Amino acid sequence: MATINENYLKLKAGYLFPEISRRVAAYSKKNSSARMISLGIGDVTQPLAPAVVEAMRRAVEELSDVRTFRGYGPEQGYGFLREAIAGNDYASRGIEIGADEVFVSDGAKCDTANIQEIFSADNVLAVADPVYPVYIDTNVMAGRTGPAAADGRYVGVVYMSCTEENGFLPRPPAKRVDLVYLCSPNNPTGAAAGRDDLRRWVDYARQNKAVILFDAAYEAFITQPEIPHSIYEIEGSRDVAIEFRSFSKTAGFTGVRCGFCVVPRNLKAYTGDGAPVELNGLWSRRHTTKFNGASYISQAAAAAVYSPEGKRQTTGIIAKYMANAAFMRRSLEELGYTTHGGVNAPYIWMKTPAGQTSWGFFDRLLQKAQVITTPGCGFGPAGEGYIRLTAFGAAEDVKEAMERFAGI
Ligand code: MLT
């Protein structure tokens, strides 16, 4: 008899975005002429930068010719991309990251989901609330938590409530934890951690021999110069942090797929009897066993993001999204809503009107304005009373969505 991994039965309902799609599909079925505008899932809308398209075209041509054809690539990623990442994302900011510390993948979702495999099941986990559901759900699946309590939080996990009072920035808990997921700029709240915030976390991790899993998928959206783009800008962080990045939002790769994580050579965790083990080797072992590398076409395209034209073009696209964010914040504030985020992140975290729940306001916007949002409570109980709006729409759609907000 085949038996299941019963940890899956602990998971609450479905993954958030399929549930949103279900509600939108049900509404559309009854209202087939309605034109929906999505400010829901954080998916990009602008086409790939021309420099990226050209690199993909060249890669396809190479694969179509027997003299330049390539089969399996290195599981950790092609050297040309790993070196471009180390040079452009890190050396340019004075951070020393070797190409052999970079692991290319098909995106940050998979990496942030998979990384927990190299840690033992009894690690105590800390996550923000609200949180990107992937961090917590994958740890539930792995048996690193107890069942969900009545408030939706999983037993055994340390939740760090992110509220208006603390600027939506989690502080190190009083209790000792082993693994901490941090996301800055944050999905879903749009808050960005400053240097002092990150310094507190690095100190905490060093004191507790904890590992920080730092998701920097939205670093390209930072507009304020004082906000760090990488946790490695903080001294001592190489010993305690793994960083995740993605080309999805930076360069419109949500459909192309390419991302990476950095596992520094000197970063260690411990065996049950306290012997240190380098995580770079462990992750490499896992990666080479379970992954055959991102496609050559995606990696060639990702490398083009670092070319002078690629940088100029992708920066231009990001500026468009951030102009949407500024317009949305302004419009919503004028309508009397309270908003957060949208300055260093493509997400706006908006308070629902008094007395309305996240799902209640989501449904109202869907039915009255045909605007799709994401209910804040889908990211955790502390997200109740908020909705998340993304700035990834086309400018004209964003404008229309704001007009529709005014009419509800
Ligand atoms: C989101 O809307 O939160 C994103 O699409 C999540 C992701 O990047 O997987």
Side-chain angles (χ1 to χ4, degrees):
M1 180 177 72
T3 54
I4 62 156
N5 174 353
E6 290 193 25
N7 292 313
Y8 276 66
L9 302 181
K10 296 180 197 162
L11 291 166
K12 289 166 291 152
Y15 187 63
L16 175 61
F17 294 105
E19 170 59 18
I20 292 171
S21 305
R22 197 190 60 71
R23 291 191 187 212
V24 172
Y27 177 82
S28 299
K29 206 168 154 201
K30 287 199 208 125
N31 304 273
S32 53
S33 61
R35 191 179 90 79
M36 303 290 197
I37 299 180
S38 178
L39 307 178
I41 190 164
D43 197 2
V44 290
T45 55
Q46 295 305 298
L48 296 170
V52 168
V53 174
E54 184 46 36
M56 291 178 95
R57 197 172 282 131
R58 275 199 308 272
V60 170
E61 274 160 20
E62 279 180 59
L63 297 183
S64 352
D65 186 328
V66 71
R67 288 165 302 180
T68 47
F69 174 76
R70 296 170 187 243
Y72 289 127
E75 293 93 340
Q76 299 90 339
Y78 283 100
F80 65 79
L81 180 56
R82 300 172 87 194
E83 273 152 31
I85 291 167
N88 289 279
D89 283 323
Y90 297 105
S92 69
R93 294 188 185 278
I95 302 165
E96 235 180 88
I97 292 293
D100 62 348
E101 296 174 311
V102 175
F103 294 83
V104 176
S105 70
D106 60 354
K109 181 175 185 172
C110 307
D111 282 345
T112 54
N114 291 329
I115 196 72
Q116 46 78 27
E117 280 187 32
I118 63 170
F119 297 97
S120 76
D122 56 7
N123 275 266
V124 177
L125 185 72
V127 293
D129 176 9
V131 66
Y132 178 44
V134 172
Y135 311 153
I136 184 72
D137 285 4
T138 52
N139 277 281
V140 173
M141 291 169 179
R144 208 166 277 112
T145 74
D151 64 358
R153 290 178 163 187
Y154 291 93
V155 173
V157 175
V158 174
Y159 286 89
M160 304 171 291
S161 290
C162 295
T163 60
E164 230 168 55
E165 289 69 45
N166 59 21
F168 302 98
L169 293 170
R171 289 291 183 101
K175 187 175 176 232
R176 194 190 63 79
V177 301
D178 307 304
L179 294 176
V180 183
Y181 286 85
L182 295 178
C183 176
S184 177
N186 190 263
N187 177 14
T189 66
R195 199 163 285 278
D196 290 344
D197 301 306
L198 294 184
R199 149 79 31 227
R200 265 193 289 276
W201 275 109
V202 169
D203 290 347
Y204 173 89
R206 291 179 70 88
Q207 277 153 21
N208 291 284
K209 294 190 171 166
V211 173
I212 298 170
L213 304 169
F214 189 74
D215 187 350
Y218 298 96
E219 64 77 33
F221 295 84
I222 292 173
T223 60
Q224 294 178 311
E226 66 274 19
I227 300 294
H229 285 245
S230 165
I231 189 138
Y232 302 124
E233 289 180 42
I234 309 301
E235 208 192 320
S237 57
R238 276 184 58 97
D239 299 333
V240 291
I242 293 176
E243 181 162 293
F244 304 89
R245 297 247 190 137
S246 167
F247 296 95
S248 284
K249 315 294 158 76
T250 307
F253 276 43
T254 51
V256 174
R257 310 304 309 152
C258 197
F260 62 91
C261 72
V262 175
V263 188
R265 281 248 169 241
N266 43 332
L267 170 59
K268 299 179 186 75
Y270 301 84
T271 62
D273 49 17
V277 178
E278 286 211 349
L279 295 182
N280 181 291
L282 227 53
W283 181 244
S284 186
R285 186 69 177 84
R286 188 261 170 217
H287 212 63
T288 50
T289 302
K290 295 199 175 184
F291 188 56
N292 259 335
S295 90
Y296 173 62
I297 300 168
S298 300
Q299 294 191 60
V305 173
Y306 297 110
S307 68
E309 320 79 72
K311 278 185 191 167
R312 193 170 39 75
Q313 293 161 359
T314 50
T315 309
I317 298 169
I318 289 170
K320 281 192 194 173
Y321 291 139
M322 291 313 282
N324 286 344
F327 174 73
M328 290 160 71
R329 277 192 291 116
R330 229 180 16 250
S331 310
L332 294 167
E333 293 281 340
E334 275 168 21
L335 290 172
Y337 293 108
T338 304
T339 67
H340 303 276
V343 176
N344 295 301
Y347 294 120
I348 290 171
W349 191 239
M350 194 188 106
K351 236 180 149 101
T352 57
Q356 298 198 37
T357 63
S358 298
W359 276 116
F361 195 53
F362 167 92
D363 284 334
R364 184 164 148 217
L365 283 168
L366 178 62
Q367 282 153 24
K368 294 235 162 33
Q370 293 77 49
V371 172
I372 304 162
T373 58
T374 307
C377 62
F379 298 99
E384 183 52 87
Y386 289 89
I387 56 163
R388 191 196 71 175
L389 307 169
T390 81
F392 287 122
E396 53 285 9
D397 285 345
V398 168
K399 189 160 173 286
E400 188 175 335
M402 292 301 105
E403 284 161 12
R404 293 189 192 177
F405 258 83
I408 66 161

